[in-house]
Amino acid sequence: MNMQNLTPFPGQGQPDDQVVFHRRELGTIMGLYGRMVAAGEWRDYGMSFLREVAIFSVFRRTAETPLYRIEKRPKLRNRQGQYAVIGMDGRILKRGSDLQAVLRVLERKLIRAVE
């Protein structure tokens, strides 16, 4: 069987108007996720790619609501910034155009006093 002769199912594949995280953005987010898993704070994640927003959700347990959502909304790029960290209760903890600066609000949770 030749792979070039296969026809894709209709509706399969990524639509052109879908918002996604790029490789560098995912690398930054997964770096933070790995540190938080190692600290025992986070245990699972989920990603959603919709028409206007890409969402990276982090969970303490799989069957819960997400602790935090990291959102990318390109339409807000020139206004408030396209990245946002949203808490469990729906409050926006930090918003901006630099992903690393926005994620610093979550990195503070890693800092603990050593006795």
Side-chain angles (χ1 to χ4, degrees):
M1 176 183 278
N2 189 354
M3 294 297 281
Q4 294 173 347
N5 295 335
L6 296 177
T7 56
F9 287 111
Q12 292 289 324
Q14 177 181 332
D16 292 336
D17 58 351
Q18 189 177 32
V19 178
V20 296
F21 288 109
H22 298 291
R23 183 179 297 248
R24 285 188 179 156
E25 295 166 337
L26 273 178
T28 303
I29 294 170
M30 292 305 284
L32 172 65
Y33 176 77
R35 290 191 305 272
M36 294 300 266
V37 167
E41 296 290 325
W42 297 349
R43 300 209 181 205
D44 199 7
Y45 71 91
M47 291 189 280
S48 301
F49 303 107
L50 305 174
R51 179 168 287 156
E52 294 183 8
V53 61
I55 304 170
F56 186 93
S57 303
V58 293
F59 300 88
R60 188 176 311 253
R61 291 179 196 83
T62 306
E64 290 185 344
T65 58
L67 288 175
Y68 301 102
R69 292 189 329 253
I70 302 165
E71 293 188 355
K72 176 183 177 183
R73 293 182 184 266
K75 287 188 177 182
L76 297 177
R77 179 183 307 126
N78 295 328
R79 291 184 220 139
Q80 303 164 346
Q82 65 180 342
Y83 302 108
V85 174
I86 301 171
M88 183 187 300
D89 55 356
R91 287 186 299 170
I92 297 174
L93 303 177
K94 184 87 171 166
R95 181 182 292 277
S97 57
D98 181 23
L99 181 60
Q100 289 182 338
V102 171
L103 293 179
R104 281 193 204 119
V105 72
L106 298 175
E107 289 179 355
R108 289 187 210 149
K109 306 226 179 270
L110 285 174
I111 300 172
R112 294 188 177 146
V114 178
E115 295 180 15

